[in-house]
Amino acid sequence: MMTFLSSSLADIMLWLMYLSLAVAVGVTALSVSKTLRLRTKDDEIINGVAHTRIAWTVAVAFVICLVVTFLLGSSDPVTTNGKLFTDAFWLKATDMFIYTSIILIIGCFVGVIVSRFRN
């Protein structure tokens, strides 16, 4: 009974995560399409700051970071809860998300420190 309960609970959590991911991707796609539809040439520079160029640079840098951390990720098999995981793609994808999260957190701290002492 207990293994059935934990197995079904794990399945429920996985499906909720899939649902959350689908909603996040959908909202992101709608936001991007709305932004691209409503922007004009006058919106590219605000208060002397080329925010469109900054936004594209950040987006491209994020994608490059994901690709590099995926390529640097390990594909060595991992044993978790007595089960061996050997799928190289998902092992590398897991490392990619972990490394990218660490890089983004460090980048946030550096940005806060730099902006704090800049003025």
Side-chain angles (χ1 to χ4, degrees):
M1 176 69 179
M2 192 57 157
T3 55
F4 173 73
L5 182 62
S6 64
S7 175
S8 64
L9 190 59
D11 290 340
I12 291 170
M13 291 305 295
L14 282 172
W15 281 108
L16 285 174
M17 287 180 4
Y18 293 147
L19 179 65
S20 297
L21 178 65
V23 169
V25 169
V27 168
T28 301
L30 287 173
S31 174
V32 168
S33 69
K34 180 181 176 188
T35 301
L36 291 176
R37 243 183 313 125
L38 296 179
R39 81 178 179 162
T40 63
K41 279 290 188 189
D42 297 336
D43 295 336
E44 290 186 7
I45 297 177
I46 297 176
N47 295 330
V49 177
H51 73 87
T52 303
R53 188 172 4 150
I54 292 171
W56 278 107
T57 303
V58 169
V60 169
F62 178 68
V63 170
I64 290 171
C65 181
L66 286 173
V67 169
V68 168
T69 55
F70 180 82
L71 294 174
L72 294 176
S74 173
S75 61
D76 295 338
V78 175
T79 302
T80 305
N81 294 332
K83 186 175 178 184
L84 184 66
F85 293 97
T86 58
D87 189 359
F89 173 79
W90 288 113
L91 291 167
K92 288 174 103 37
T94 302
D95 281 352
M96 172 189 71
F97 288 123
I98 292 170
Y99 295 153
T100 302
S101 297
I102 291 170
I103 290 169
L104 290 174
I105 290 169
I106 290 170
C108 288
F109 282 127
V110 169
V112 167
I113 291 170
V114 166
S115 68
R116 174 73 177 135
F117 293 111
R118 191 174 215 181
N119 295 333

